[in-house]
Amino acid sequence: MDELLTEFLTETAESLSTLDVELVRLEQNPDDPKLIDNIFRLVHTIKGTCGFLGLPRLAAVAHSSENVLGKIRDGAMTATPVAVTLILASLDRIKDLLAALEQTEAEPAGDDNELIDKLDAMAAGELVEAPVAAVPDEPEDFDATLGRSLKPGEVSLEELERVFQETSAGDDEEPAATPAPVAAAEPEATPEPAKPVAAAPAPKPAEVKPATAAKPEGGGESSVANQSIRVSVEQLENLMTMVSELVLTRNQLMQMVRGRADSEFKVPLQRLSHVTTELQEGVMKTRMQPIGNAWAKLPRIIRDLSHDLSKKIELQMLGADTELDRQVLELIKDPLTHMVRNSADHGLETPAERTEAGKAETGKVVLNAYHEGGHIIIEIKDDGRGLDVDRIRAKVLEKGLASEADLQSMSDQKIQQFIFAPGFSTAAEVTAVSGRGVGMDVVRTNIEKIGGTVELKSVVGRGSTFTIKIPLTLAIVSALVVECAGERFAIPQISVIELVRAASGSEQKIETINGTPVLRLRNRLLPLVYLDQSLQLREADTEPPAEVYVVVTQVGAYTFGIVVDKVFDTEEIVVKPVAPLLRDIAMFSGNTILGDGSVIMILDPNGIAASTSGATMHEDEGAELARQGESRGEESVAMLLFRAGGGEPKAVPLSLVARLEDIPVEAVEFANERYVTQYRGKLMPLVSMDHGMQIREEGRQPVLVFADGEHTLGLLVEEIVDIVDQPLNVELAAERPGFIGSAVIAGKATDVIDVGHYVAQNFDTWFGEGKGSADGDSASKRVLLVDDSPFFRNMLTPLLRVAGYDVTVAEAPDEALRLREDGADFDVIISDIEMPGMSGFEFATEVRREGAWQDVPMVALSSHTETQDFARGREAGFTDYVGKMDRDALLQALSQTLSMMGDAA
């Protein structure tokens, strides 16, 4: 295909995608002049390019659409739903013509007189006075040849003369059919017009990007165009393949050097490893695209559904600039579209039903995307009727998916999960939108194929929330290498929660309940899968090893353990597709080449989970715990015991520890007056509890890794002792910085360390400036802590409990507001400010607006502590505002706030 035509098709398709979104916005904001100008210029560019390339049908449709938009821009008519519908119809016609043009490289025969007549009639019928779009000195008139806005006096006479000569056959004032023959004849007559032809598509980046970002028009469009180039997907895929091979070679070289005590290649290989990691991250970034690209069609879909279903629907899209791998993006487009359509059709009520239920007539569908660790979290939420458990139960019985006895023992949330069963639908009738029972099972299957999960929460009368968790990329992943029956396998680390060593003489031992092997782990029964039995690697009568390792894995809401013989290190692996011979084995998701050159299979936790009776095991677990009559007066806390800076044991909440690492001492470096190591492509500070503690001279150095998002910090220790699970009762408050206090743990007096102290002292940029440790006293007051960071919640909760507070945590403002609706009562609320979805300011405003918490004091936490931040916090409704890492200030603020509230009472 001619290069110019290919460029035209690509750019026009992007412009049309933007126009779909912008026109829906225009219908909602008909008086927005910037929006109207953007839409007009995009259609104008499409029309001008079509005329110049000799495409009369496309130019005629675009010209008539431009006429209608011109009247809207000039104020002669408004953007009514009828007008927007007609313009959208013209865009659909242009898409059809472009599709045919791409197939045949020629514009298809036919006419569009009926559509054009409607457009012209609308323009003529609404026109009150002569159009002003053609006035030469219009300040914001867009010149397609120059590719920017042209203002009076802005350019020289020579430039104006040149523009006049090059655009003498221009199409601004002519009917659409007029320029087509001239433009079609010019390329064949002489080669000179090739210059303006090549320049014609240039304005596109300046047009589409402001429309997508909805930013004010500015003078920097040409620089934006010059700073970006278009690269084919095939070239990016080839580059990614080569980087993958480089990663494999790097792994092989590192494996060769690792076995030698001293090698002259060690330093250059470390540098090679660092450069390879940076190159890998750089190439991955070129594959990253904003998730908003997958959402581009949703406003149009919601708009059409609103008309078809006679419902009022508002679509909110949050986090559209969140980036993920292009390959993942393509795979989730269809599932997302289906789920949004379901929310609009099944979830939202009609205006009459909503009014009767005391709701606003307009229903909301909210999409929210954000990063969390190595995943993308996508939420699809509606405020509709929710899932009717009784109807689902009746349908389950009708289809024979479960018995009445089974359903009686299930919770409502578990019954709601049946909507993911194949062929399941509670719709009363089949519509053009949904109701055929095909969809949600495919959605879950497609998302699980890429290592993702789907979770559902629904409350009758309040709406439903689907939470999708997917990996950032599928090309290169971090994996845990294990061995079973002499064979090695890789398990993607995004599915691994923790590792447990189980032996007959240890505290963790494998038991059997009703013939099913389980591991009793922290008062929970964990179902187990023996990998050798699932893959038939050992004979049935072969005795398993006396000591095994359990890889605790989570798939959606289902947690289970995979029993293996040995556990090796984690490694960055390149995912290769499964060979056709093994494609039917659901337990494998691919294969890879290790550093020593051996080829191993990558296990698929989703496939392994599917081979177990996960649902039954959940019920057995609940029944077993119920028989035990477990009723703990105090909440148990998993504590990691270790030794560092002395012989006495020390402890830290296990939930704060991201990983336990044994780092080769040669990988420890000294920079900026501190010890650091290269960890997952970044420099990780290494700190010690005792300044006199020295790095080991040889071998490997144990390190506790604390992580939150992109931030990591390593704490040097001498020995990992054990993991115990018991209530944390700090009996003696600490006077030394870096410690919360002392408690009896595993029968010994143990110092509990304050992780926040080391974070604040050695990594000030983590949460902001901080200082010291906290102490304080208080009566037993009920505190609600709202923060989206698991690390910060886990760090602050023990500190507050030691200070005497009864702490309840919420991961998001929405969860906190549900506690309010359920009647929960608190003496004070602590809320983070920077949270996805609803910020702390918005949360405070909502709390103060209505409900039972209107008078509850609120303390804000933020890394931004300027004067204007304090003022904004108090304006939103916060009682006090403290720095996120200033724990002394937090405890003091709580004490003063509660004291003032007591005096006021």
Side-chain angles (χ1 to χ4, degrees), residues 490-506:
I491 304 176
Q493 199 161 349
I494 59 174
S495 301
V496 178
I497 300 176
E498 61 179 307
L499 296 174
V500 178
R501 185 181 65 178
S504 56
S506 67

Side-chain angles (χ1 to χ4, degrees), residues 143-168 222:
D143 188 291
T145 306
L146 291 179
R148 57 182 172 84
S149 297
L150 188 62
K151 298 182 179 180
E154 186 183 357
V155 295
S156 64
L157 292 175
E158 290 78 10
E159 188 176 4
L160 287 173
E161 178 66 19
R162 179 179 62 79
V163 173
F164 176 78
Q165 291 177 354
E166 291 179 352
T167 60
S168 57
S222 60

